[in-house]
Short mmCIF file of all heavy atoms in Angstrom, two decimals:
data_model
loop_
_atom_site.label_atom_id
_atom_site.label_comp_id
_atom_site.label_asym_id
_atom_site.label_seq_id
_atom_site.Cartn_x
_atom_site.Cartn_y
_atom_site.Cartn_z
N VAL A 10 -79.09 -67.98 -2.62
CA VAL A 10 -78.46 -67.69 -3.91
C VAL A 10 -77.62 -66.43 -3.73
O VAL A 10 -78.15 -65.35 -3.49
CB VAL A 10 -79.48 -67.49 -5.03
CG1 VAL A 10 -78.76 -67.37 -6.38
CG2 VAL A 10 -80.50 -68.60 -5.06
N GLY A 11 -76.29 -66.59 -3.84
CA GLY A 11 -75.39 -65.44 -3.67
C GLY A 11 -74.49 -65.67 -2.47
O GLY A 11 -74.97 -65.95 -1.37
N GLY A 12 -73.18 -65.54 -2.70
CA GLY A 12 -72.22 -65.78 -1.62
C GLY A 12 -71.51 -64.53 -1.17
O GLY A 12 -70.38 -64.58 -0.73
N GLY A 13 -72.21 -63.38 -1.25
CA GLY A 13 -71.68 -62.15 -0.65
C GLY A 13 -71.94 -62.19 0.85
O GLY A 13 -72.33 -63.22 1.40
N ILE A 14 -71.75 -61.04 1.51
CA ILE A 14 -71.88 -61.04 2.97
C ILE A 14 -73.33 -61.31 3.38
O ILE A 14 -73.58 -61.94 4.42
CB ILE A 14 -71.31 -59.73 3.60
CG1 ILE A 14 -71.08 -59.89 5.10
CG2 ILE A 14 -72.19 -58.53 3.31
CD1 ILE A 14 -70.01 -60.84 5.48
N ALA A 15 -74.30 -60.88 2.57
CA ALA A 15 -75.71 -61.17 2.90
C ALA A 15 -75.96 -62.68 2.82
O ALA A 15 -76.54 -63.27 3.73
CB ALA A 15 -76.64 -60.42 1.95
N GLY A 16 -75.48 -63.30 1.74
CA GLY A 16 -75.71 -64.74 1.55
C GLY A 16 -74.95 -65.58 2.57
O GLY A 16 -75.49 -66.55 3.11
N HIS A 33 -75.34 -70.99 -2.78
CA HIS A 33 -74.96 -71.08 -4.19
C HIS A 33 -74.31 -69.78 -4.60
O HIS A 33 -74.88 -68.72 -4.38
CB HIS A 33 -76.25 -71.16 -5.02
CG HIS A 33 -76.37 -72.43 -5.74
ND1 HIS A 33 -75.50 -72.81 -6.70
CD2 HIS A 33 -77.29 -73.41 -5.62
CE1 HIS A 33 -75.87 -73.99 -7.16
NE2 HIS A 33 -76.96 -74.38 -6.51
N THR A 34 -73.15 -69.82 -5.21
CA THR A 34 -72.61 -68.55 -5.68
C THR A 34 -71.88 -68.72 -6.99
O THR A 34 -71.34 -69.79 -7.27
CB THR A 34 -71.73 -67.87 -4.62
OG1 THR A 34 -71.61 -66.48 -4.95
CG2 THR A 34 -70.35 -68.48 -4.55
N SER A 35 -71.89 -67.67 -7.79
CA SER A 35 -71.30 -67.78 -9.12
C SER A 35 -69.84 -67.38 -9.13
O SER A 35 -69.12 -67.65 -10.08
CB SER A 35 -72.09 -66.91 -10.10
OG SER A 35 -72.23 -65.61 -9.60
N GLU A 36 -69.38 -66.71 -8.08
CA GLU A 36 -67.99 -66.27 -8.05
C GLU A 36 -67.38 -66.67 -6.71
O GLU A 36 -68.05 -67.29 -5.90
CB GLU A 36 -67.93 -64.74 -8.16
CG GLU A 36 -68.26 -64.25 -9.54
CD GLU A 36 -68.40 -62.74 -9.57
OE1 GLU A 36 -68.08 -62.09 -8.56
OE2 GLU A 36 -68.82 -62.23 -10.61
N LEU A 37 -66.15 -66.23 -6.48
CA LEU A 37 -65.52 -66.51 -5.18
C LEU A 37 -66.41 -65.97 -4.07
O LEU A 37 -67.03 -64.91 -4.22
CB LEU A 37 -64.16 -65.80 -5.11
CG LEU A 37 -63.04 -66.42 -5.94
CD1 LEU A 37 -61.79 -65.57 -5.83
CD2 LEU A 37 -62.76 -67.84 -5.44
N LEU A 38 -66.46 -66.70 -2.96
CA LEU A 38 -67.32 -66.27 -1.86
C LEU A 38 -66.84 -64.93 -1.31
O LEU A 38 -65.65 -64.71 -1.14
CB LEU A 38 -67.32 -67.34 -0.78
CG LEU A 38 -68.08 -68.61 -1.22
CD1 LEU A 38 -67.53 -69.85 -0.54
CD2 LEU A 38 -69.57 -68.46 -0.96
N GLY A 39 -67.79 -64.06 -1.05
CA GLY A 39 -67.45 -62.75 -0.49
C GLY A 39 -68.06 -61.59 -1.25
O GLY A 39 -68.19 -60.50 -0.72
N GLY A 40 -68.42 -61.81 -2.50
CA GLY A 40 -69.04 -60.74 -3.30
C GLY A 40 -68.11 -59.53 -3.41
O GLY A 40 -66.89 -59.67 -3.46
N HIS A 41 -68.69 -58.35 -3.42
CA HIS A 41 -67.88 -57.13 -3.57
C HIS A 41 -66.84 -56.99 -2.47
O HIS A 41 -65.73 -56.49 -2.70
CB HIS A 41 -68.77 -55.89 -3.52
CG HIS A 41 -69.51 -55.63 -4.78
ND1 HIS A 41 -68.87 -55.46 -5.99
CD2 HIS A 41 -70.82 -55.52 -5.03
CE1 HIS A 41 -69.76 -55.26 -6.93
NE2 HIS A 41 -70.96 -55.29 -6.38
N LEU A 42 -67.21 -57.41 -1.26
CA LEU A 42 -66.31 -57.15 -0.13
C LEU A 42 -64.95 -57.81 -0.31
O LEU A 42 -63.94 -57.31 0.18
CB LEU A 42 -66.93 -57.66 1.17
CG LEU A 42 -68.10 -56.87 1.73
CD1 LEU A 42 -68.46 -57.42 3.11
CD2 LEU A 42 -67.81 -55.38 1.83
N ILE A 45 -62.21 -55.53 -1.43
CA ILE A 45 -62.03 -54.22 -0.80
C ILE A 45 -60.89 -54.28 0.21
O ILE A 45 -60.87 -55.13 1.09
CB ILE A 45 -63.36 -53.73 -0.18
CG1 ILE A 45 -64.36 -53.54 -1.32
CG2 ILE A 45 -63.17 -52.44 0.59
CD1 ILE A 45 -65.76 -53.38 -0.90
N LYS A 47 -59.92 -52.14 2.51
CA LYS A 47 -60.21 -51.75 3.89
C LYS A 47 -61.71 -51.48 3.99
O LYS A 47 -62.18 -50.42 3.56
CB LYS A 47 -59.41 -50.50 4.25
CG LYS A 47 -59.44 -50.18 5.72
CD LYS A 47 -58.37 -49.17 6.05
CE LYS A 47 -58.93 -48.09 6.93
NZ LYS A 47 -58.07 -46.97 7.15
N ILE A 48 -62.45 -52.45 4.53
CA ILE A 48 -63.89 -52.27 4.70
C ILE A 48 -64.08 -51.34 5.90
O ILE A 48 -63.58 -51.61 6.99
CB ILE A 48 -64.58 -53.63 4.96
CG1 ILE A 48 -64.36 -54.57 3.77
CG2 ILE A 48 -66.07 -53.43 5.24
CD1 ILE A 48 -64.67 -56.02 4.08
N GLU A 49 -64.80 -50.26 5.67
CA GLU A 49 -64.97 -49.28 6.74
C GLU A 49 -66.38 -49.37 7.30
O GLU A 49 -67.32 -49.76 6.61
CB GLU A 49 -64.73 -47.88 6.18
CG GLU A 49 -63.36 -47.78 5.54
CD GLU A 49 -62.80 -46.39 5.52
OE1 GLU A 49 -63.38 -45.49 6.17
OE2 GLU A 49 -61.78 -46.19 4.85
N GLY A 50 -66.52 -49.01 8.57
CA GLY A 50 -67.85 -48.93 9.19
C GLY A 50 -68.42 -50.29 9.58
O GLY A 50 -69.62 -50.40 9.81
N TYR A 51 -67.57 -51.31 9.64
CA TYR A 51 -68.05 -52.64 10.04
C TYR A 51 -67.80 -52.78 11.53
O TYR A 51 -66.65 -52.68 11.97
CB TYR A 51 -67.31 -53.72 9.25
CG TYR A 51 -68.05 -55.03 9.16
CD1 TYR A 51 -69.02 -55.22 8.17
CD2 TYR A 51 -67.82 -56.06 10.06
CE1 TYR A 51 -69.72 -56.42 8.09
CE2 TYR A 51 -68.51 -57.26 9.98
CZ TYR A 51 -69.46 -57.43 8.99
OH TYR A 51 -70.15 -58.61 8.91
N SER A 81 -71.80 -72.35 -8.57
CA SER A 81 -72.33 -72.21 -9.93
C SER A 81 -73.44 -71.16 -9.91
O SER A 81 -74.08 -70.93 -8.88
CB SER A 81 -72.86 -73.53 -10.47
OG SER A 81 -73.76 -74.09 -9.57
N ARG A 82 -73.60 -70.57 -11.05
CA ARG A 82 -74.60 -69.51 -11.19
C ARG A 82 -75.99 -70.14 -11.26
O ARG A 82 -76.19 -71.11 -11.98
CB ARG A 82 -74.30 -68.75 -12.48
CG ARG A 82 -75.18 -67.58 -12.69
CD ARG A 82 -74.71 -66.72 -13.86
NE ARG A 82 -75.46 -65.50 -13.84
CZ ARG A 82 -75.18 -64.49 -13.04
NH1 ARG A 82 -74.15 -64.54 -12.24
NH2 ARG A 82 -75.94 -63.41 -13.03
N VAL A 83 -76.92 -69.61 -10.48
CA VAL A 83 -78.30 -70.08 -10.60
C VAL A 83 -78.92 -69.35 -11.79
O VAL A 83 -78.95 -68.12 -11.84
CB VAL A 83 -79.10 -69.81 -9.30
CG1 VAL A 83 -80.55 -70.22 -9.48
CG2 VAL A 83 -78.47 -70.56 -8.14
N GLU A 84 -79.38 -70.14 -12.76
CA GLU A 84 -79.87 -69.53 -14.01
C GLU A 84 -81.36 -69.27 -13.97
O GLU A 84 -81.86 -68.36 -14.63
CB GLU A 84 -79.58 -70.47 -15.20
CG GLU A 84 -78.12 -70.89 -15.36
CD GLU A 84 -77.23 -69.75 -15.81
OE1 GLU A 84 -77.76 -68.68 -16.15
OE2 GLU A 84 -76.00 -69.93 -15.80
N ALA A 110 -79.89 -63.45 -2.54
CA ALA A 110 -78.93 -62.46 -2.03
C ALA A 110 -77.88 -62.23 -3.11
O ALA A 110 -76.67 -62.39 -2.89
CB ALA A 110 -78.30 -62.97 -0.73
N THR A 111 -78.36 -61.88 -4.30
CA THR A 111 -77.50 -61.84 -5.48
C THR A 111 -76.80 -60.49 -5.68
O THR A 111 -76.03 -60.34 -6.63
CB THR A 111 -78.32 -62.19 -6.74
OG1 THR A 111 -79.57 -61.51 -6.68
CG2 THR A 111 -78.60 -63.68 -6.82
N GLY A 112 -77.06 -59.52 -4.80
CA GLY A 112 -76.26 -58.30 -4.79
C GLY A 112 -76.36 -57.46 -6.05
O GLY A 112 -77.41 -57.36 -6.69
N THR A 113 -75.22 -56.90 -6.40
CA THR A 113 -75.16 -55.94 -7.51
C THR A 113 -73.90 -56.17 -8.34
O THR A 113 -72.98 -56.85 -7.91
CB THR A 113 -75.08 -54.50 -6.96
OG1 THR A 113 -73.95 -54.42 -6.10
CG2 THR A 113 -76.33 -54.07 -6.22
N GLU A 114 -73.91 -55.55 -9.52
CA GLU A 114 -72.69 -55.54 -10.35
C GLU A 114 -72.31 -54.08 -10.60
O GLU A 114 -73.20 -53.23 -10.74
CB GLU A 114 -72.98 -56.18 -11.71
CG GLU A 114 -73.09 -57.68 -11.65
CD GLU A 114 -73.45 -58.24 -13.02
OE1 GLU A 114 -74.40 -57.74 -13.62
OE2 GLU A 114 -72.78 -59.16 -13.46
N LEU A 115 -71.01 -53.83 -10.69
CA LEU A 115 -70.58 -52.47 -11.01
C LEU A 115 -70.91 -52.17 -12.48
O LEU A 115 -70.70 -53.02 -13.35
CB LEU A 115 -69.07 -52.33 -10.76
CG LEU A 115 -68.69 -52.25 -9.28
CD1 LEU A 115 -67.26 -52.70 -9.05
CD2 LEU A 115 -68.88 -50.83 -8.76
N HIS A 133 -62.22 -52.99 -12.17
CA HIS A 133 -63.14 -52.60 -11.09
C HIS A 133 -62.52 -52.88 -9.73
O HIS A 133 -63.18 -52.74 -8.72
CB HIS A 133 -64.42 -53.45 -11.18
CG HIS A 133 -65.37 -53.06 -12.27
ND1 HIS A 133 -65.80 -51.77 -12.48
CD2 HIS A 133 -66.02 -53.80 -13.19
CE1 HIS A 133 -66.65 -51.74 -13.49
NE2 HIS A 133 -66.80 -52.96 -13.94
N ASP A 154 -69.12 -42.91 -2.97
CA ASP A 154 -68.29 -43.56 -1.94
C ASP A 154 -67.25 -44.50 -2.55
O ASP A 154 -66.08 -44.48 -2.18
CB ASP A 154 -69.18 -44.41 -1.00
CG ASP A 154 -69.95 -43.56 -0.01
OD1 ASP A 154 -69.58 -42.39 0.18
OD2 ASP A 154 -70.91 -44.08 0.56
N SER A 155 -67.72 -45.38 -3.47
CA SER A 155 -66.82 -46.41 -3.99
C SER A 155 -65.63 -45.77 -4.69
O SER A 155 -64.48 -46.19 -4.49
CB SER A 155 -67.55 -47.31 -4.99
OG SER A 155 -68.64 -47.93 -4.39
N ALA A 156 -65.88 -44.76 -5.53
CA ALA A 156 -64.79 -44.14 -6.30
C ALA A 156 -63.77 -43.49 -5.37
O ALA A 156 -62.55 -43.65 -5.55
CB ALA A 156 -65.36 -43.11 -7.27
N GLN A 158 -63.31 -44.05 -2.07
CA GLN A 158 -62.66 -45.04 -1.21
C GLN A 158 -61.56 -45.77 -1.98
O GLN A 158 -60.45 -45.96 -1.49
CB GLN A 158 -63.71 -46.05 -0.72
CG GLN A 158 -63.15 -47.10 0.21
CD GLN A 158 -64.23 -48.05 0.71
OE1 GLN A 158 -65.34 -48.09 0.18
NE2 GLN A 158 -63.92 -48.81 1.74
N GLU A 159 -61.88 -46.14 -3.22
CA GLU A 159 -60.90 -46.88 -4.01
C GLU A 159 -59.77 -45.97 -4.48
O GLU A 159 -58.63 -46.42 -4.64
CB GLU A 159 -61.58 -47.59 -5.19
CG GLU A 159 -62.64 -48.61 -4.75
CD GLU A 159 -62.11 -49.68 -3.79
OE1 GLU A 159 -62.09 -49.40 -2.57
OE2 GLU A 159 -61.73 -50.76 -4.24
N PHE A 185 -64.76 -39.58 3.39
CA PHE A 185 -63.99 -39.86 2.17
C PHE A 185 -63.61 -38.56 1.48
O PHE A 185 -62.49 -38.40 0.99
CB PHE A 185 -64.80 -40.75 1.21
CG PHE A 185 -64.95 -42.19 1.67
CD1 PHE A 185 -66.17 -42.85 1.54
CD2 PHE A 185 -63.89 -42.87 2.21
CE1 PHE A 185 -66.32 -44.16 1.96
CE2 PHE A 185 -64.02 -44.19 2.64
CZ PHE A 185 -65.25 -44.83 2.51
N TYR A 240 -66.06 -46.81 -11.20
CA TYR A 240 -67.00 -46.92 -10.07
C TYR A 240 -68.12 -45.91 -10.27
O TYR A 240 -68.21 -44.91 -9.57
CB TYR A 240 -66.27 -46.64 -8.73
CG TYR A 240 -65.13 -47.58 -8.49
CD1 TYR A 240 -63.82 -47.17 -8.66
CD2 TYR A 240 -65.37 -48.90 -8.11
CE1 TYR A 240 -62.76 -48.05 -8.46
CE2 TYR A 240 -64.32 -49.78 -7.91
CZ TYR A 240 -63.03 -49.35 -8.09
OH TYR A 240 -61.99 -50.23 -7.89
N LEU A 243 -74.04 -49.00 -9.39
CA LEU A 243 -74.30 -50.43 -9.26
C LEU A 243 -75.61 -50.82 -9.93
O LEU A 243 -76.58 -50.06 -9.89
CB LEU A 243 -74.38 -50.78 -7.77
CG LEU A 243 -73.10 -50.51 -6.97
CD1 LEU A 243 -73.40 -50.44 -5.48
CD2 LEU A 243 -72.05 -51.56 -7.26
N SER A 246 -78.48 -57.33 -9.34
CA SER A 246 -78.51 -58.63 -10.04
C SER A 246 -79.83 -59.34 -9.71
O SER A 246 -79.84 -60.34 -8.99
CB SER A 246 -77.33 -59.48 -9.60
OG SER A 246 -76.13 -58.80 -9.78
N LEU A 249 -83.07 -63.12 -11.75
CA LEU A 249 -83.77 -64.37 -11.39
C LEU A 249 -85.26 -64.15 -11.13
O LEU A 249 -86.06 -65.05 -11.33
CB LEU A 249 -83.18 -64.95 -10.09
CG LEU A 249 -81.99 -65.88 -10.19
CD1 LEU A 249 -81.63 -66.37 -8.80
CD2 LEU A 249 -82.30 -67.05 -11.11
N ALA A 278 -82.40 -60.48 0.31
CA ALA A 278 -81.48 -59.95 1.34
C ALA A 278 -80.30 -59.26 0.68
O ALA A 278 -79.85 -59.66 -0.39
CB ALA A 278 -80.97 -61.09 2.23
N GLY A 279 -79.82 -58.19 1.33
CA GLY A 279 -78.62 -57.49 0.84
C GLY A 279 -78.97 -56.43 -0.19
O GLY A 279 -80.11 -55.97 -0.29
N THR A 280 -77.98 -56.06 -0.96
CA THR A 280 -78.12 -54.89 -1.85
C THR A 280 -79.04 -55.15 -3.04
O THR A 280 -79.36 -54.21 -3.77
CB THR A 280 -76.76 -54.41 -2.35
OG1 THR A 280 -75.99 -55.55 -2.73
CG2 THR A 280 -76.00 -53.66 -1.28
N VAL A 281 -79.49 -56.38 -3.23
CA VAL A 281 -80.43 -56.64 -4.32
C VAL A 281 -81.87 -56.31 -3.89
O VAL A 281 -82.76 -56.24 -4.72
CB VAL A 281 -80.34 -58.11 -4.80
CG1 VAL A 281 -80.98 -59.08 -3.80
CG2 VAL A 281 -80.95 -58.29 -6.18
N GLY A 287 -76.94 -50.32 1.53
CA GLY A 287 -75.69 -50.24 0.76
C GLY A 287 -74.44 -50.41 1.60
O GLY A 287 -73.34 -50.12 1.14
N ARG A 288 -74.59 -50.87 2.84
CA ARG A 288 -73.43 -51.11 3.70
C ARG A 288 -73.35 -52.59 4.03
O ARG A 288 -74.37 -53.28 4.16
CB ARG A 288 -73.55 -50.34 5.03
CG ARG A 288 -73.65 -48.86 4.88
CD ARG A 288 -72.28 -48.23 4.60
NE ARG A 288 -72.33 -46.79 4.78
CZ ARG A 288 -72.79 -45.94 3.88
NH1 ARG A 288 -73.24 -46.38 2.73
NH2 ARG A 288 -72.79 -44.65 4.11
N ALA A 289 -72.13 -53.05 4.26
CA ALA A 289 -71.91 -54.47 4.51
C ALA A 289 -72.68 -54.95 5.75
O ALA A 289 -73.28 -56.03 5.73
CB ALA A 289 -70.43 -54.73 4.68
N VAL A 290 -72.65 -54.16 6.79
CA VAL A 290 -73.31 -54.62 8.02
C VAL A 290 -74.82 -54.72 7.83
O VAL A 290 -75.48 -55.61 8.39
CB VAL A 290 -72.92 -53.71 9.22
CG1 VAL A 290 -73.47 -52.31 9.06
CG2 VAL A 290 -73.38 -54.33 10.53
N ALA A 292 -76.25 -55.51 4.97
CA ALA A 292 -76.46 -56.72 4.17
C ALA A 292 -76.41 -57.96 5.06
O ALA A 292 -77.22 -58.89 4.92
CB ALA A 292 -75.41 -56.81 3.06
C1 FAD B 401 -65.87 -50.45 -4.29
C2 FAD B 401 -66.79 -50.73 -3.14
C3 FAD B 401 -66.37 -50.41 -1.84
C4 FAD B 401 -67.23 -50.67 -0.75
N1 FAD B 401 -66.79 -50.37 0.53
C5 FAD B 401 -67.58 -50.64 1.60
C6 FAD B 401 -67.14 -50.37 2.93
O1 FAD B 401 -66.01 -49.90 3.16
N2 FAD B 401 -68.00 -50.63 3.96
C7 FAD B 401 -69.25 -51.14 3.76
O2 FAD B 401 -69.98 -51.35 4.74
N3 FAD B 401 -69.68 -51.42 2.50
C8 FAD B 401 -68.89 -51.17 1.42
N4 FAD B 401 -69.33 -51.45 0.15
C9 FAD B 401 -70.69 -52.01 -0.01
C10 FAD B 401 -70.66 -53.51 0.22
O3 FAD B 401 -69.72 -54.10 -0.66
C11 FAD B 401 -72.06 -54.09 -0.02
O4 FAD B 401 -72.98 -53.51 0.88
C12 FAD B 401 -72.07 -55.61 0.20
O5 FAD B 401 -71.07 -56.23 -0.59
C13 FAD B 401 -73.43 -56.18 -0.20
O6 FAD B 401 -73.37 -57.56 -0.02
P1 FAD B 401 -74.38 -58.53 -0.80
O7 FAD B 401 -74.13 -59.89 -0.25
O8 FAD B 401 -75.77 -57.99 -0.71
O9 FAD B 401 -73.99 -58.45 -2.34
P2 FAD B 401 -72.65 -58.71 -3.19
O10 FAD B 401 -71.44 -58.35 -2.42
O11 FAD B 401 -72.91 -58.02 -4.49
O12 FAD B 401 -72.64 -60.30 -3.42
C14 FAD B 401 -73.57 -60.94 -4.25
C15 FAD B 401 -73.02 -62.30 -4.66
O13 FAD B 401 -74.05 -63.01 -5.38
C16 FAD B 401 -73.46 -63.67 -6.50
N5 FAD B 401 -74.51 -63.88 -7.52
C17 FAD B 401 -75.16 -62.95 -8.27
N6 FAD B 401 -76.06 -63.55 -9.09
C18 FAD B 401 -75.98 -64.88 -8.84
C19 FAD B 401 -76.65 -66.03 -9.37
N7 FAD B 401 -77.61 -65.92 -10.30
N8 FAD B 401 -76.29 -67.26 -8.92
C20 FAD B 401 -75.34 -67.40 -7.96
N9 FAD B 401 -74.68 -66.35 -7.42
C21 FAD B 401 -74.99 -65.11 -7.84
C22 FAD B 401 -72.38 -62.70 -6.96
O14 FAD B 401 -71.41 -63.36 -7.75
C23 FAD B 401 -71.83 -62.22 -5.62
O15 FAD B 401 -70.83 -63.10 -5.16
C24 FAD B 401 -68.50 -51.22 -0.95
C25 FAD B 401 -68.92 -51.53 -2.26
C26 FAD B 401 -68.07 -51.30 -3.34
C27 FAD B 401 -68.54 -51.64 -4.74
#
Side-chain angles (χ1 to χ4, degrees):
V10 187
I14 196 67
H33 244 296
T34 199
S35 51
E36 288 171 8
L37 286 177
L38 290 151
H41 282 302
L42 288 187
I45 296 166
K47 191 166 134 189
I48 299 165
E49 304 205 10
Y51 203 85
S81 52
R82 185 171 190 80
V83 176
E84 305 290 352
T111 44
T113 56
E114 286 177 310
L115 285 156
H133 284 310
D154 284 343
S155 301
Q158 182 178 14
E159 299 304 85
F185 288 138
Y240 301 104
L243 298 161
S246 306
L249 272 183
T280 44
V281 74
R288 300 282 194 280
V290 66

